[in-house]
Amino acid sequence: MKKSLLLLFFISISTILYSQDVSITKSEIFKDKKKNSRLSFTLESENGGIVTIRSYYGGMMQKLKGYYIQCFDQDLNEIKTLDYEVKNKTIKNAFLKNDKLHLIEIEELKKEKAIAINVSSSNISTLDFSTENLLKFSEENIKEYFGVFLFPFFINNGWGQIDGNHMGEVIFSSNNKFFAINFDIKNKDQETHKVFVFNDEFELVFDKLITKDIKDNLFEYNSFEVDDTDGTVYFLGKSYEKGTKRDKKDGKVNYHFELYKVSATNTENTSFKTTGKLIESLHLLKNNNRLVCTGFFGNDKESKINGVCVYDLDPNSLEINYSKFNNFSDKFLNDKYGNKQNKKKRKKDKGIKNIDFKGVYLMANGDIVINAEEFFISTYTTMNANGGWNTYTVYHFNDIMAVRLDADGNLKWARNINKAQTGFTTSSFTTLPIENSTFFFINCSDNITKLNNGRIAFRQTSSKKSNLYIVSVNEEGNFDYKKLIDDKDSKVYYKVNNGIANLNNQTVFLLGEKKKNGRIVKLKVN
């Protein structure tokens, strides 16, 4: 298994001197009753206080059992901690306002055969929560909310009516003045969504039912955004054509993308498609007067990626200002494939596959930043000594892709960081874009090797020797790196696959953990 523990980053690097200042603030080590928690939310107040919310699981099926809610001062000195146990309840989102913590929750009320959306609120100094109901869907009032009786909504108390993972998805506007709750409901005859928009006083601003005359399985929801000004919702999905969920039909692209604009007074929509390029999904971004849909495209097959595309739309009229398709540069492909032998593989592969979005951002200067990872799962079956068969699954976290477009949709640079990683312990990365640079927080050992063509390799052996590093890509697309925390100085390893970034404050929060020892670290890029 030594091979599976190797973490390799091959980077074309301009210098090994790191000029960016990163301040590090650590909490004291704390003890949890449960191990293997995950950061769900990290909130920073205006006075510097910090609230972290970590989910934990238990039982044979690793069911959600509760949340550790911890309040810290700006130096990560612990002020208050609460073990917030839950039953048939999930925190969907959270925010701070006037030193009060608000939790937006969805709860299954089995005895009442109902589903409730609640807000639980408390002063951060006490963590003594009171709960207010926002919405409740019961068999009696379901038609009132959805306009139709969605049979059989109350089999399994409605959970059987969920379409994907979007039952009660909660998205905030960037200024936290509005939040929208999205319900993606199974309806075999129509694609059906219900959106409720509230302000930060928990007053209902508007609600709208969005339906499309297409079979449910022929429409794929992508994402939605909430406007800062009035809570208008922008909703993006992919609609298949000709009654079949095939990428191509009769040699032509067999789907288009649909964008809806839903406000208190109106519902508008537009659609767009490519003639030859194949797009698996697009990510929607809204920032001030910009509305952008961006993602990866393939030239031949949808599962293969050859570049990055962008659609820039007018947020008022929904007219397309421009669309751009940028093929990956030779520099990017050389990052990935390297020597002449692998260039043959590059030609044979004709594209990259298994790409998972890790962060998509619309910057203040109009740049679009896309950070992604090559992720896939493999299953192996082996025979044991008794002649039986054992099956095990391996999760692979491979190459990192860093892409930046300018305000006109042109490719500024694209870089590929090659790595091979398996397992969840120290895998993957946390990303933070700041102005013209992009930062990646990774785990690796001190065994840094120089390779040919100015490349280097970061190697990881185990969590016991896991150092925390920062890797940056500057405005010219050049790399740099620095070790932030040495494993000899830390009693925990940091879960970079579960970090939370705050672009406004230029901070990243990571959970450090080993057995039942825990620690929060704040990294601020100055």
Side-chain angles (χ1 to χ4, degrees), residues 485-496:
I485 300 176
D486 193 290
D487 73 283
K488 296 176 183 178
D489 301 325
S490 183
K491 296 180 180 179
V492 297
Y493 64 88
Y494 291 97
K495 295 185 173 183
V496 294

Side-chain angles (χ1 to χ4, degrees), residues 45-47 49 96-102 122-125:
S45 66
E46 293 180 357
N47 62 10
L96 290 173
K97 182 183 178 183
N98 300 327
D99 289 327
K100 292 193 74 173
L101 172 61
H102 304 284
S122 171
N123 289 318
I124 58 176
S125 60

Side-chain angles (χ1 to χ4, degrees), residues 48-178:
I50 298 162
V51 177
T52 63
I53 302 175
R54 296 181 289 123
S55 56
Y56 64 84
Y57 301 78
M60 291 292 292
M61 303 301 292
Q62 287 296 292
K63 185 179 179 181
L64 177 66
K65 294 294 185 179
Y67 299 86
Y68 291 120
I69 302 176
Q70 293 175 283
C71 298
F72 301 92
D73 65 16
Q74 62 183 358
D75 298 317
L76 284 179
N77 296 308
E78 191 173 341
I79 299 171
K80 187 76 174 177
T81 296
L82 173 67
D83 184 353
Y84 191 75
E85 297 181 351
V86 298
K87 187 177 181 180
N88 302 317
K89 182 166 66 173
T90 305
I91 299 175
K92 305 297 290 187
N93 217 321
F95 71 101
L96 290 173
K97 182 183 178 183
N98 300 327
D99 289 327
K100 292 193 74 173
L101 172 61
H102 304 284
L103 312 176
I104 312 298
E105 305 169 321
I106 184 168
E107 183 175 12
E108 181 182 5
L109 305 172
K110 290 188 175 182
K111 290 184 180 180
E112 300 179 39
K113 292 186 177 180
I115 296 170
I117 306 293
N118 301 321
V119 55
S120 295
S121 304
S122 171
N123 289 318
I124 58 176
S125 60
T126 62
L127 295 184
D128 184 15
F129 287 92
S130 60
T131 300
E132 174 188 350
N133 178 252
L134 299 180
L135 301 167
K136 183 184 286 187
F137 308 129
S138 65
E139 193 168 357
E140 289 75 24
N141 69 0
I142 191 66
K143 188 172 182 180
E144 172 189 342
Y145 282 107
F146 289 91
V148 294
F149 180 72
L150 296 170
F151 179 81
F153 192 86
F154 287 94
I155 292 178
N156 297 324
N157 281 6
W159 302 113
Q161 197 70 23
I162 302 169
D163 190 359
N165 295 317
H166 311 298
M167 180 63 167
E169 179 184 25
V170 178
I171 300 292
F172 279 85
S173 62
S174 60
N175 62 5
N176 283 347
K177 295 294 184 183
F178 300 92

Side-chain angles (χ1 to χ4, degrees), residues 259-271:
L259 178 64
Y260 289 81
K261 178 183 178 181
V262 183
S263 67
T265 58
N266 198 16
T267 299
E268 304 169 70
N269 72 296
T270 189
S271 64

Side-chain angles (χ1 to χ4, degrees), residues 279 282 293-297 307-311 324-326 370 405:
I279 306 171
L282 290 173
C293 302
T294 187
F296 296 110
F297 72 88
V308 62
C309 63
V310 57
Y311 290 87
K324 293 281 179 70
F325 287 78
N326 300 280
I370 304 175
L405 308 172

Side-chain angles (χ1 to χ4, degrees), residues 10-29:
F10 303 102
I11 303 176
S12 299
I13 198 161
S14 59
T15 175
I16 60 172
L17 298 175
Y18 195 89
S19 59
Q20 195 74 45
D21 183 27
V22 181
S23 62
I24 303 171
T25 307
K26 299 178 184 178
S27 74
E28 295 293 328
I29 294 287

Side-chain angles (χ1 to χ4, degrees), residues 242-376:
K242 299 181 180 178
T244 179
K245 198 171 184 178
R246 294 175 57 184
D247 302 336
K248 285 186 176 181
K249 180 76 172 177
D250 301 326
K252 297 181 179 180
V253 175
N254 189 51
Y255 55 79
H256 61 271
F257 288 89
E258 293 192 10
L259 178 64
Y260 289 81
K261 178 183 178 181
V262 183
S263 67
T265 58
N266 198 16
T267 299
E268 304 169 70
N269 72 296
T270 189
S271 64
F272 48 90
K273 68 181 298 181
T274 64
T275 56
K277 310 295 185 183
L278 291 159
I279 306 171
E280 188 167 354
S281 65
L282 290 173
H283 196 94
L284 183 63
L285 298 169
K286 176 72 173 66
N287 183 7
N288 298 326
N289 294 321
R290 289 285 302 283
L291 183 64
V292 169
C293 302
T294 187
F296 296 110
F297 72 88
N299 290 323
D300 298 315
K301 296 181 179 179
E302 190 165 17
S303 59
K304 295 292 183 73
I305 292 171
N306 302 102
V308 62
C309 63
V310 57
Y311 290 87
D312 186 279
L313 299 99
D314 186 310
N316 296 314
S317 67
L318 298 186
E319 292 182 0
I320 296 177
N321 297 321
Y322 66 78
S323 61
K324 293 281 179 70
F325 287 78
N326 300 280
N327 286 309
F328 288 134
S329 62
D330 285 338
K331 192 171 188 179
F332 171 85
L333 295 172
N334 289 337
D335 283 345
K336 182 173 181 61
Y337 295 105
N339 59 36
K340 292 181 180 179
Q341 181 180 355
N342 283 332
K343 285 183 179 180
K344 294 179 181 178
K345 184 177 185 297
R346 158 182 163 182
K347 186 175 181 180
K348 179 182 176 182
D349 287 350
K350 295 182 179 179
I352 305 164
K353 59 182 180 179
N354 303 316
I355 298 301
D356 184 33
F357 285 112
K358 291 287 290 184
V360 186
Y361 311 94
L362 185 55
M363 307 302 290
N365 66 353
D367 282 3
I368 300 168
V369 175
I370 304 175
N371 296 321
E373 186 169 39
E374 193 172 5
F375 171 76
F376 62 95

